[in-house]
Amino acid sequence: MERGEPGLLRTDPVPEAGEDAVATISVTETLSEEEQEELRSELAKVEEEIQTLSQVLAAKEKHLAEIKRKLGISSLQEFRQNIAKGWQDVTATPAYKKTSETLSQAGQKASAAFASVGSVITKKLEDVKNSPTFKSFEEKVENLKSKVGGPKPAGGDFGDVLNSTASATATEPHPEQTQAGP
């Protein structure tokens, strides 16, 4: 077939979507009856080929499904494989690697910061416990306890001392309560 002859290599302009309908009509008016008949014949062939290919594709898809069924491959397994492959593809991207690395570094820095804060708090609490003010307070509580409840039991800790002192002072009447009112 040569250029300019009717057929597949025809060089006539093809109207684009949205072009003026008059331009489309004028193209068909310029075709001879013979050219129009040839194009109709070609159109019928192409439509028939499309129909045949659709049937072949449907048969191939049916055959594929039968093979998968015989192999025990289910839709769920395929879906899982596709998800796994997709995730693998995502994790292989430079953007994912960079983001993962950045988040890992941020997590390490946060862990280090929390550990540092924890050790600072622990040190401050130890400093308070070893301070002269706390020691003096602890001695006063011990003295009060020995006056109110007797000697300190072996193995008692500061919390026990506070609890016993609080319960001992709660049971004793205050001097204002023992005086008779007018």
Side-chain angles (χ1 to χ4, degrees):
M1 223 186 272
E2 289 182 20
R3 266 182 107 93
E5 290 185 16
L8 292 176
L9 299 177
R10 191 168 171 109
T11 59
D12 290 344
V14 177
E16 293 289 328
E19 279 191 25
D20 194 1
V22 175
T24 306
I25 293 172
S26 65
V27 170
T28 54
E29 289 177 359
T30 61
L31 295 175
S32 67
E33 280 295 316
E34 184 181 306
E35 290 172 329
Q36 288 181 11
E37 189 58 41
E38 190 174 322
L39 286 175
R40 285 187 189 107
S41 171
E42 188 177 333
L43 178 64
K45 280 185 200 177
V46 171
E47 287 175 342
E48 186 179 320
E49 287 175 359
I50 290 172
Q51 182 66 28
T52 303
L53 290 172
S54 294
Q55 291 170 352
V56 169
L57 180 60
K60 293 280 186 187
E61 287 175 340
K62 184 177 179 182
H63 184 64
L64 174 70
E66 183 65 25
I67 291 171
K68 286 181 179 180
R69 186 188 61 75
K70 287 180 181 178
L71 289 173
I73 299 173
S74 69
S75 299
L76 182 59
Q77 288 171 322
E78 281 188 88
F79 181 70
R80 285 180 183 161
Q81 288 172 348
N82 289 342
I83 294 292
K85 175 76 170 110
W87 181 248
Q88 184 180 9
D89 292 347
V90 166
T91 58
T93 63
Y96 178 84
K97 289 178 181 177
K98 177 87 172 152
T99 302
S100 177
E101 181 181 305
T102 302
L103 290 175
S104 175
Q105 290 173 354
Q108 290 171 356
K109 288 179 181 178
S111 293
F114 287 133
S116 174
V117 167
S119 65
V120 167
I121 290 173
T122 302
K123 177 148 178 33
K124 288 292 182 187
L125 288 174
E126 287 175 5
D127 290 348
V128 167
K129 186 177 177 185
N130 294 329
S131 72
T133 306
F134 187 81
K135 295 277 188 196
S136 171
F137 176 73
E138 191 175 27
E139 286 174 14
K140 288 178 183 176
V141 169
E142 289 294 327
N143 288 339
L144 179 65
K145 182 181 183 306
S146 64
K147 289 178 184 175
V148 173
K152 177 181 174 184
D157 66 358
F158 183 68
D160 292 339
V161 171
L162 285 177
N163 288 336
S164 65
T165 303
S167 63
T169 56
T171 56
E172 291 181 6
H174 286 96
E176 298 91 36
Q177 294 173 344
T178 56
Q179 294 176 357

